Amino acid sequence: MKLSPRTPYNIAFVFLMLTALWGMVSFFSYHIAPLPERMPQPLLNALEAAARPGERIYLADQRFDQFVGSHPQFNIFPGSGKNASIAAADTQFFLIGGTSLRSDFAALEGFDRREVAFADGVTLWRFDKRGAQFAEYRLSDSFPDGASVRSSLYPDGSPLKDRAFITGRDPWQNIQVSGAEFGKKHRTALTAHPLHGADQWIELTVDPAQWKAPRISFEYGVADSGDCKGGCQPVRITITQDEKNIRLESKDALWQEAPLDGFAADRPFTVRIVAPHAGKRHFFCDVLFRAPVAGGGQ
């Protein structure tokens, strides 16, 4: 007996086939769709007008990871499922995503958020923590911008290669951004391995004017990997602005902070680093800027 093409089984089969074909077309059209190489101009204009040096900009997903290399002047975090949890500790940040806000960022508590710009299916959001008076920015967030470097080997200025300032002849003698453990706590900062000898030095010059931050601190320490258990001399740091000097010494496996009270926020200062015996001195440092947020106090 000939089956009718309109039996319930045939209709269900045709429906399932069409659903499968639609799913395949949607999947492949999504993955072959051209991804943006650069930010749409309205988003770029908004960031250039409002973002402070080093301010964090998170990508909602990996579709926009090309922005990291296309816009190196910004501190852009590649798309990751961990970005929302990292951003939860920030005071202010930007988020770049598609037409709708991702659920993990929408669920962040204690933030006011607003859409800043939209173009070509890409959205820029601004997040501000409610009640915060100061936002924190670090030199490492914008490095190598924001600083110049010299050393006793390069007194006229250290060469820059692959976002690292070369300070000595050995490959580890440079200043760049890296991470390490301090008392088992992880920190990301500037790794600045000293040169060997009390007459050898490396020096950073930092201009805080672009951060417009009335409060500045110097952060520093020798990582767990450089702990000599008291058998090595500390790293010596001298911070100078005009006639004002602050002298500090590192402690093994300890991250410290020294407020730069009395330092002008609109003039450069220098950080000179010296170690009599630099072999295991895995020294890291950073400059912390605390800038007032809109409506916050001084």
Side-chain angles (χ1 to χ4, degrees):
M1 182 176 69
K2 185 176 180 181
L3 295 176
S4 168
R6 296 180 181 177
T7 62
Y9 299 104
N10 287 350
I11 293 173
F13 175 76
V14 171
F15 175 77
L16 291 173
M17 285 291 294
L18 290 174
T19 301
L21 287 172
W22 176 83
M24 292 177 64
V25 170
S26 298
F27 176 84
F28 285 107
S29 62
Y30 171 83
H31 283 275
I32 65 175
L35 299 176
E37 293 293 332
R38 295 181 58 83
M39 287 186 213
Q41 196 61 43
L43 277 71
L44 189 59
N45 292 343
L47 287 174
E48 289 176 341
R52 291 181 187 264
E55 185 164 5
R56 293 185 174 190
I57 303 167
Y58 296 97
L59 300 180
D61 58 67
Q62 295 174 343
R63 287 180 298 161
F64 308 108
D65 279 359
Q66 292 87 340
F67 294 167
V68 177
S70 299
H71 304 285
Q73 71 272 35
F74 298 118
N75 184 28
I76 303 176
F77 285 63
S80 168
K82 297 180 179 180
N83 277 352
S85 60
I86 297 172
D90 293 341
T91 304
Q92 296 177 316
F93 65 88
F94 288 95
L95 172 68
I96 295 175
T99 55
S100 60
L101 184 62
R102 259 181 51 162
S103 60
D104 52 353
F105 278 93
L108 288 179
E109 297 182 354
F111 285 91
D112 292 322
R113 62 179 183 268
R114 67 184 188 276
E115 182 180 312
V116 177
F118 175 82
D120 302 331
V122 186
T123 308
L124 175 67
W125 287 276
R126 172 75 176 196
F127 283 70
D128 295 279
K129 183 160 287 186
R130 288 191 290 272
Q133 290 187 318
F134 286 90
E136 294 185 347
Y137 308 98
R138 285 177 167 81
L139 178 62
S140 59
D141 287 331
S142 62
F143 197 78
D145 293 335
S148 59
V149 175
R150 301 190 308 132
S151 72
S152 48
L153 185 63
Y154 298 103
D156 296 325
S158 295
L160 180 64
K161 181 179 180 181
D162 298 329
R163 301 181 68 84
F165 285 103
I166 309 303
T167 56
R169 294 185 175 87
D170 294 318
W172 63 83
Q173 292 174 333
N174 58 49
I175 297 182
Q176 61 180 309
V177 179
S178 186
E181 305 291 323
F182 297 83
K184 307 304 180 184
K185 293 182 179 180
H186 186 81
R187 291 276 185 174
T188 298
L190 303 180
T191 172
H193 197 293
L195 304 185
H196 188 74
D199 60 338
Q200 302 297 301
W201 49 269
I202 58 177
E203 184 179 271
L204 293 88
T205 299
V206 182
D207 187 353
Q210 61 178 329
W211 278 272
K212 301 178 182 178
R215 298 184 183 180
I216 309 171
S217 295
F218 182 71
E219 301 179 315
Y220 61 105
V222 172
D224 294 355
S225 58
D227 190 346
C228 286
K229 310 301 182 184
C232 297
Q233 294 186 38
V235 177
R236 300 168 183 169
I237 309 106
T238 303
I239 306 173
T240 304
Q241 185 184 69
D242 301 329
E243 302 301 318
K244 189 171 183 63
N245 286 277
I246 293 179
R247 290 181 172 83
L248 306 168
E249 289 189 352
S250 69
K251 295 182 180 179
D252 288 6
L254 180 64
W255 189 252
Q256 302 178 82
E257 180 180 337
L260 301 186
D261 296 334
F263 277 59
D266 58 353
R267 294 202 304 277
F269 60 87
T270 61
V271 179
R272 180 166 288 210
I273 300 163
V274 174
H277 300 283
K280 206 179 180 184
R281 305 287 74 193
H282 298 169
F283 182 73
F284 287 69
C285 64
D286 217 334
V287 180
L288 172 65
F289 305 94
R290 290 186 174 94
V293 301
Q298 294 290 327

